[in-house]
Amino acid sequence: MSATAKPHLIAVDWGTSNFRAALISPAGEIENELATTRGVSSFARGEFAPYLIETCKGLGANTQLIYLLAGMIGSREGLREAPYCPCPAGGLDLALALTWVIPQRIAIVPGLRNGTDDVMRGEESQVLGAAAVLGLTEALIVLPGTHSKWVSLEGGRIAGFSTMMTGEFYALLRNHSILAKSIAPEEHWDEPSFLAGVEMAMQGASLLHSAFSLRVKFLFNELKEQEASSYLSGLVIGEELAAMQVEPGLEVILVGNTALCERYALALQHLGAHSRSLGTQASWMGLHAIYQQIKL
Amino acid sequence: MSATAKPHLIAVDWGTSNFRAALISPAGEIENELATTRGVSSFARGEFAPYLIETCKGLGANTQLIYLLAGMIGSREGLREAPYCPCPAGGLDLALALTWVIPQRIAIVPGLRNGTDDVMRGEESQVLGAAAVLGLTEALIVLPGTHSKWVSLEGGRIAGFSTMMTGEFYALLRNHSILAKSIAPEEHWDEPSFLAGVEMAMQGASLLHSAFSLRVKFLFNELKEQEASSYLSGLVIGEELAAMQVEPGLEVILVGNTALCERYALALQHLGAHSRSLGTQASWMGLHAIYQQIKL
């Protein structure tokens, strides 16, 4: 079978709380996309495959298709557990490590492990996609989110990475901690408060201490309820950048939700670092890159 | 009125979730004690004073009494807001800064502020009590807890302090984070796992990253569910000690809950630092020290 005679790809990013799928031509053109909120956590065991086939009919393709699934669908709670692939890993390594659920039809892309120190599922496809879209083989790629990933791309492969639980800490502190009573329930954006949070985090030795500054500033009328969520966002993102030793002149590729990438870009710029941002559709190009390495 | 003719003291430590009171002679003998779970958060406005008088009848004193109240009872949510006293502050400073609710009868001990960077309410009395009990004028006194306090005692006065939200982060991560599903619901104590957590925290740049190691170790069968709460405890306490730059040879006085002080002592010892521990009854001697400075 020649490369051009390959069937179309159904690329699926199936996370804990969302399902996204795209129909992609062998040459890499995105012909159709859809998204639902049927993440992995919304399913009981055994319903994954029928949902996948039925939902992807909505993409309008009726040829023989290959499905590549990335994300938490490959975890113990998903369709089938796909063992983590060790770093360093690129498109070919992932293609060789696929877990085929139905041979030549449905495969799960393994997550990556960094030794036994860290893991990811789904982000590997976004990183390889970002590299493909930007034509990069060496880069520091950051995926902000609930669990941010800082990924080193070397020679076109993922050499290593670190997870930072930044978004989760933000939600914990915002919703469940003593700080909640100093934070307005609705989200407000206030750039000076955000940057004040970044500064405080850069000065402090730990979020254990700097987080308390939100409460203290509120008590002394130095921070209003409406400014507090931006300040907290600055504290956790600042802590992340400090821990990752961001310095002036550093170049970062941000991949993810646009609003969140804008916050990171602002904090990075404030510290003299540079960034470019890409949306999460990068994962389509990553799954396509893996697909190109599959020998059918 | 001579010092010996002073009335007995009712010393009260009235926090968010507990009420503790002691009858203390002018010479500093603790004659009786009681405790209830009627913390400040369990009251509607206006019920504090009747509860105080009624409950303290149980201490069995029927002479003219002076009540000194420390803790969150002096916050906006308490009996009356007692403005924070600035550092440095010792017993005399606090005696001069009392907020009298009923003159010569019921007074609230102010909390302390470290510039406008940090605050405490109640811990000042424990620190002064520990200093009195141990006969110290220079010390590093640590009060582990939901919000740990690291206090510098200089010349017998509190020179400054830092809050670390260690206990609160532990509870947030244990109960509300993704880590919860890798932690057995019941508490287990496992010293090697605790010390492994301390080590991991000392190596890492931030709890944002080291906390994720609990999940990863669980996935790779390097940590059992029953060991995970001890590991997490080590992670947060280790982060606190790293942030406070604990080094071999450091001398620390621990004041607080016995089991928690034992964990801190173990972690400090593991890092080559030394500690002595005192219980929270230290606050009685602190309130007595303030009382001795009052001119009636």
Side-chain angles (χ1 to χ4, degrees), chain A residues 163 165 168 178 206 208-209, chain B residues 163 165 168 178 208-209 239:
Chain A
T163 299
M165 294 176 65
E168 182 157 8
I178 189 181
S206 168
L208 291 179
H209 176 66
Chain B
T163 300
M165 295 176 66
E168 183 157 7
I178 189 181
L208 291 179
H209 176 65
E239 169 95 359

Side-chain angles (χ1 to χ4, degrees), chain B residues 3-294:
Chain B
T4 51
K6 264 187 169 175
H8 272 51
L9 167 67
I10 300 267
V12 179
D13 180 1
W14 207 338
T16 302
S17 46
N18 287 287
F19 173 95
R20 297 191 310 127
L23 176 67
I24 305 178
S25 75
E29 293 141 346
I30 297 164
E31 299 188 354
N32 208 346
E33 283 185 274
L34 61 78
T36 78
T37 55
R38 294 299 311 274
V40 170
S41 65
S42 74
F43 285 86
R45 211 171 282 274
E47 298 171 5
F48 293 111
Y51 179 80
L52 174 69
I53 304 298
E54 198 55 39
T55 306
C56 288
K57 283 183 186 166
L59 289 171
N62 48 19
T63 56
Q64 175 71 16
L65 297 164
I66 300 281
Y67 293 77
L68 280 188
L69 320 183
M72 292 307 282
I73 191 67
S75 72
R76 284 173 204 176
E77 289 79 32
L79 172 57
R80 189 174 302 172
E81 186 171 0
Y84 291 103
C85 178
C87 287
L92 179 57
D93 306 282
L94 289 167
L96 292 172
L98 293 173
T99 292
W100 287 94
V101 180
I102 300 175
Q104 307 222 354
R105 183 122 169 99
I106 302 180
I108 298 175
V109 176
L112 292 188
R113 62 180 174 83
N114 194 19
T116 55
D117 292 340
D118 215 325
V119 295
M120 57 166 58
R121 278 201 191 274
E123 293 92 347
E124 71 294 329
S125 302
Q126 292 183 33
V127 169
L128 294 180
V133 169
L134 299 174
L136 296 172
T137 54
E138 315 288 323
L140 173 59
I141 302 183
V142 177
L143 294 77
T146 306
H147 296 169
S148 296
K149 304 288 180 183
W150 287 66
V151 184
S152 299
L153 188 76
E154 294 178 11
R157 299 162 88 204
I158 294 172
F161 60 91
S162 280
T163 300
M164 306 294 285
M165 295 176 66
T166 310
E168 183 157 7
F169 273 67
Y170 174 79
L172 291 171
L173 291 168
R174 194 199 189 312
N175 301 322
H176 298 289
S177 82
I178 189 181
L179 307 182
K181 61 181 177 178
S182 309
I183 305 175
E186 325 77 51
E187 290 289 326
H188 298 266
W189 174 246
D190 184 72
E191 185 173 316
S193 299
F194 174 76
L195 292 176
V198 172
E199 287 282 341
M200 177 61 77
M202 299 302 292
Q203 289 163 26
S206 168
L207 187 61
L208 291 179
H209 176 65
S210 63
F212 196 64
S213 72
L214 188 154
R215 180 73 186 150
V216 175
K217 284 180 182 295
F218 178 79
L219 286 172
F220 290 128
N221 299 312
E222 292 176 2
L223 188 72
K224 297 191 186 77
E225 234 186 25
Q226 288 75 14
E227 299 163 342
S229 60
S230 296
Y231 181 75
L232 179 60
S233 178
L235 282 180
V236 295
I237 292 174
E239 169 95 359
E240 177 178 346
L241 301 188
M244 298 312 292
Q245 299 179 296
V246 168
E247 287 181 353
L250 185 75
E251 300 268 358
V252 173
I253 310 294
L254 296 167
V255 182
N257 169 287
T258 307
L260 191 56
C261 283
E262 279 172 8
R263 292 190 184 195
Y264 275 73
L266 191 61
L268 286 162
Q269 185 186 36
H270 189 71
L271 303 178
H274 309 290
S275 66
R276 284 189 282 175
S277 295
L278 278 183
T280 49
Q281 62 279 30
S283 55
W284 301 150
M285 287 304 96
L287 288 167
H288 182 259
I290 296 165
Y291 181 59
Q292 287 183 302
Q293 300 290 346
I294 299 176

